[in-house]
Amino acid sequence: MPEQLQLERHNLAHSSVEANIETDAFEQSHAGRIDESVRNASDAESHQNNPDEIPRQPIRAAVAKAAQLARGAEAHARERQHAKGKNTARERLDLLFDTGTFQEVGRFAGGDINQGVAGCAVITGFGEVYGRNVGVYAQDFSVKGGTLGKAEGEKICHLMDMAMSLKVPVVALIDSGGARIQEGVSALSQYGRIFKKTCEASGLIPQLSLILGPCAGGAVYCPALTDVIIMTKEHSNMFVTGPDVVKAATGEVISMDELGGGFVHNAVSGVAHYLGEDEADAIDYARTILAYLPSSCDAQPPAFAYAATRGEREMASRLADIVPENDRQPYDMLEVIRCIADYGEFVQVQELYAASAVVGFACIGGHPVGIVANQPNVLAGILDVNSSEKVARFVRLCDAFNLPVITLVDTPGYKPGSDQEHAGIIRRGAKVIYAYANAQVPLITVVLRKAFGGAYIVMGSKAIGADVNLAWPSSQIAVLGAQGAVNIIHRKDLQKAKERGQDVEALRSRLIAEYESTTVNANLSLEIGQIDAMIDPGQTREAIEDSLRLLASKKRVARGIKHHGNQPM
């Protein structure tokens, strides 16, 4: 995250409940602080004893009772949550928002003050993250296990309607036992309403979900519909059917963590996008992601003050030394990205999943961008079913919220094999094509070393819609790698040489060298206009900055009258 955004973290032990209740009391009674209500209860009598004293406005007894209920509810929440090693819902809000900025909506909705019920099992409201407004709903597990009923559903839907009207992001803090069984179908219907609101908000405002406790059954589809899902190593669980149901239905014995823990969904299923060490780390990641995104699709991402230092210029010049000349030798693409990004800072998304592709956020010249890259350190940077979906989803996110996409290409192609074909590489690989072909944000692509076959086309090629395409002098662009192409094109020549007793390997090496010099290099792509310029590796950052300035005024264009495309799912 940019240095200027490295603000102090909130004190975990601090709770905002009293400040929140004071705000509610002020709105109800216009009398300042609720804590003073008890002292002011006998104002009239005090005034009689001292006629010269100006009386303060009395606080209604109901307000004082509400304040006391709220304090008791938070004390109860701390007792229950801290025993499990978890924060209360309000402590989580303290971590999420800038200090003192949270304004609660509907504090006592769903409660019964006269009967001693302080509210329902969800907290809703708005606060600031790095000075920008963000909506939140936080489930409170200390109230009826955080279950969702009619009151909770109505509060969440109202919050989302407000967020869409105000065009601000929504963060969901999930910690719930699911639908409230006692309310039956009424509770299930609330999930349907939330699903619809989440779909309405998709692409309009950023939506982040933090799984900080259980999330089971139909409840899992609330976060599944959002842009980013964040989990923690402990306490986070997501599954449609729990371990008991799995055992009853299949006989399989499995723990909650093995079935749907944070690591499983980050590294295996790809459902989640970040695995936090703890709640504080997870919430800090959410704040970081929000810092790169605009408040809505109508806004531009925030810009930050930036001045390149001598050290960063030297880092940019190191690029040529990072990427080996031998196209079969691996290297870490993250080192390349750090040489390009402001301050070397890169925020990865889905770091543990489909690691042959790298996606995430960075700033270049003070402007947030999305970066998509192949990772030669993992399977040579090959595209498979999982990495294809990872790339496609991220490009769509960037396009929805006006972030330019920088694509760094070094891939031998799509992964071959029956397992990939049977897993749907055709259908799932096509998602990358759909994402790039429909993107209308600035698209800048740099071919670092090799780009072969269909993978070259789908990874932000000029033909698929990229605005600026650059290549390093050592880059190789072709339908197939030299060795594979020679084995096919000169199959008969190699066979004849073998029959004559000639040195087949020497002939193959000569043919490979000829193919590389005439076909595999980027000259043909330059000549037909598929590559705009050949750049020195040390100029990569500068060339990307220049391209971003050139494309800064790029506008979206309405495309026909169709309702929507039918992308491969």
Side-chain angles (χ1 to χ4, degrees):
M1 197 171 116
E3 280 185 354
Q4 61 270 31
L5 295 180
Q6 298 299 325
L7 304 178
E8 72 282 357
R9 275 191 168 181
H10 303 300
N11 187 332
L12 187 61
H14 174 68
S15 171
S16 64
V17 62
E18 293 189 13
N20 296 331
I21 298 308
E22 289 167 7
T23 301
D24 287 338
F26 181 83
E27 293 173 351
Q28 296 178 56
S29 66
H30 310 288
R33 304 176 65 88
I34 281 185
D35 286 341
E36 296 177 357
S37 63
V38 176
R39 295 195 298 271
N40 294 345
S42 58
D43 269 352
E45 181 179 350
S46 298
H47 179 56
Q48 289 178 355
N49 296 335
N50 187 0
D52 295 330
E53 181 182 348
I54 299 175
R56 287 174 290 184
Q57 181 179 350
I59 304 299
R60 290 186 295 113
V63 176
K65 183 176 181 179
Q68 185 59 42
L69 279 176
R71 295 190 192 94
E74 181 62 10
H76 173 70
R78 284 195 295 268
E79 182 180 346
R80 293 197 62 182
Q81 293 290 87
H82 290 183
K84 302 172 186 176
K86 298 162 66 176
N87 293 316
T88 70
R90 295 184 184 278
E91 287 171 338
R92 291 164 178 166
L93 296 178
D94 282 342
L95 290 171
L96 176 63
F97 291 123
D98 300 345
T99 304
T101 62
F102 179 60
Q103 299 182 47
E104 190 164 356
V105 175
R107 171 64 182 87
F108 296 100
D112 188 335
I113 295 174
N114 291 332
Q115 296 300 317
V117 180
C120 65
V122 67
I123 300 167
T124 57
F126 295 86
E128 293 181 4
V129 175
Y130 296 118
R132 293 190 296 149
N133 283 331
V134 174
V136 69
Y137 67 87
Q139 294 176 318
D140 188 348
F141 197 83
S142 69
V143 179
K144 299 181 181 179
T147 53
L148 184 118
K150 183 178 180 181
E152 289 79 9
E154 289 180 348
K155 282 187 71 173
I156 292 172
C157 289
H158 177 64
L159 181 280
M160 296 192 69
D161 281 335
M162 289 187 67
M164 286 188 279
S165 177
L166 297 171
K167 292 190 176 179
V168 299
V170 168
V171 176
L173 304 179
I174 309 296
D175 188 0
S176 169
R180 188 167 298 150
I181 298 173
Q182 295 88 334
E183 296 190 24
V185 176
S186 176
L188 291 177
S189 298
Q190 296 304 319
Y191 277 121
R193 293 183 63 208
I194 297 170
F195 295 163
K196 185 167 178 59
K197 295 293 182 185
T198 306
C199 292
E200 289 176 8
S202 181
L204 174 66
I205 55 176
Q207 300 180 84
L208 279 64
S209 297
L210 286 87
I211 314 302
L212 304 176
C215 183
V220 299
Y221 294 110
C222 292
L225 292 167
T226 61
D227 300 305
V228 177
I229 297 175
I230 302 167
M231 300 182 73
T232 60
K233 289 185 176 180
E234 296 182 358
H235 308 305
S236 290
N237 297 110
M238 292 179 73
F239 36 70
V240 176
T241 55
D244 292 340
V245 177
V246 170
K247 182 179 180 181
T250 69
E252 180 184 6
V253 178
I254 190 168
S255 70
M256 292 178 66
D257 281 342
E258 292 172 330
L259 180 62
F263 180 79
V264 167
H265 285 312
N266 273 273
V268 180
S269 72
V271 168
H273 300 81
Y274 181 74
L275 182 63
E277 289 291 331
D278 51 28
E279 290 188 11
D281 182 38
I283 293 173
D284 186 63
Y285 183 81
R287 286 173 56 86
T288 300
I289 293 296
L290 289 170
Y292 286 95
L293 295 174
S295 294
S296 73
C297 65
D298 289 342
Q300 290 299 313
F304 307 104
Y306 173 77
T309 64
R310 178 180 177 182
E312 287 177 298
R313 286 190 289 269
E314 290 176 352
M315 277 190 69
S317 66
R318 288 183 53 241
L319 281 172
D321 300 325
I322 294 173
V323 181
E325 291 185 9
N326 183 350
D327 64 359
R328 291 178 175 272
Q329 186 175 342
Y331 63 93
D332 190 356
M333 182 62 78
L334 293 177
E335 292 188 35
V336 173
I337 295 172
R338 292 185 188 109
C339 289
I340 294 172
D342 292 356
Y343 309 111
E345 295 177 356
F346 178 56
V347 180
Q348 279 202 71
V349 176
Q350 288 189 299
E351 179 180 355
L352 303 179
Y353 181 71
S356 63
V358 173
V359 301
F361 301 102
C363 282
I364 295 181
H367 296 277
V369 298
I371 294 182
V372 175
N374 306 111
Q375 176 55 286
N377 252 356
V378 180
L379 300 175
I382 207 163
L383 281 177
D384 58 13
V385 292
N386 293 335
S387 59
S388 295
E389 290 184 334
K390 175 178 176 177
V391 168
R393 172 74 170 173
F394 185 74
V395 171
R396 294 287 279 177
L397 173 63
C398 292
D399 185 52
F401 296 112
N402 305 316
L403 266 72
V405 177
I406 313 299
T407 307
L408 306 176
V409 185
D410 188 349
T411 178
Y414 278 101
K415 185 178 180 180
S418 60
D419 62 327
Q420 290 292 300
E421 297 296 343
H422 296 169
I425 188 65
I426 297 172
R427 168 177 57 84
R428 296 163 74 179
K431 296 179 183 182
V432 185
I433 300 173
Y434 198 93
Y436 273 105
N438 283 276
Q440 295 199 44
V441 293
L443 300 176
I444 301 167
T445 301
V446 183
V447 179
L448 307 187
R449 193 166 62 171
K450 55 182 179 293
F452 295 150
Y456 157 68
I457 294 296
V458 305
M459 290 292 291
S461 67
K462 178 77 72 173
I464 210 171
D467 300 295
V468 176
N469 290 68
L470 310 169
W472 288 4
S474 59
S475 61
Q476 301 178 0
I477 303 174
V479 175
L480 199 62
Q483 183 170 338
V486 164
N487 288 339
I488 294 173
I489 297 171
H490 297 284
R491 181 177 65 255
K492 292 182 179 179
D493 295 331
L494 294 170
Q495 181 61 33
K496 289 178 182 179
K498 182 178 180 181
E499 292 171 355
R500 294 169 185 165
Q502 297 176 345
D503 189 341
V504 177
E505 292 307 317
L507 176 61
R508 180 182 282 108
S509 297
R510 180 172 60 81
L511 292 172
I512 288 174
E514 290 177 0
Y515 188 84
E516 287 179 342
S517 63
T518 59
T519 307
V520 174
N521 63 59
N523 289 344
L524 178 59
S525 297
L526 273 168
E527 292 166 4
I528 64 175
Q530 293 300 301
I531 294 294
D532 295 304
M534 199 81 78
I535 61 171
D536 183 84
Q539 298 175 320
T540 304
R541 177 187 160 88
E542 180 182 353
I544 292 174
E545 276 194 274
D546 291 342
S547 299
L548 287 172
R549 280 192 291 270
L550 171 67
L551 299 170
S553 60
K554 183 180 180 181
K555 303 296 183 184
R556 293 182 181 272
V557 179
R559 293 177 173 174
I561 59 173
K562 66 182 181 181
H563 300 303
H564 57 75
N566 185 21
Q567 73 179 86
M569 304 294 284

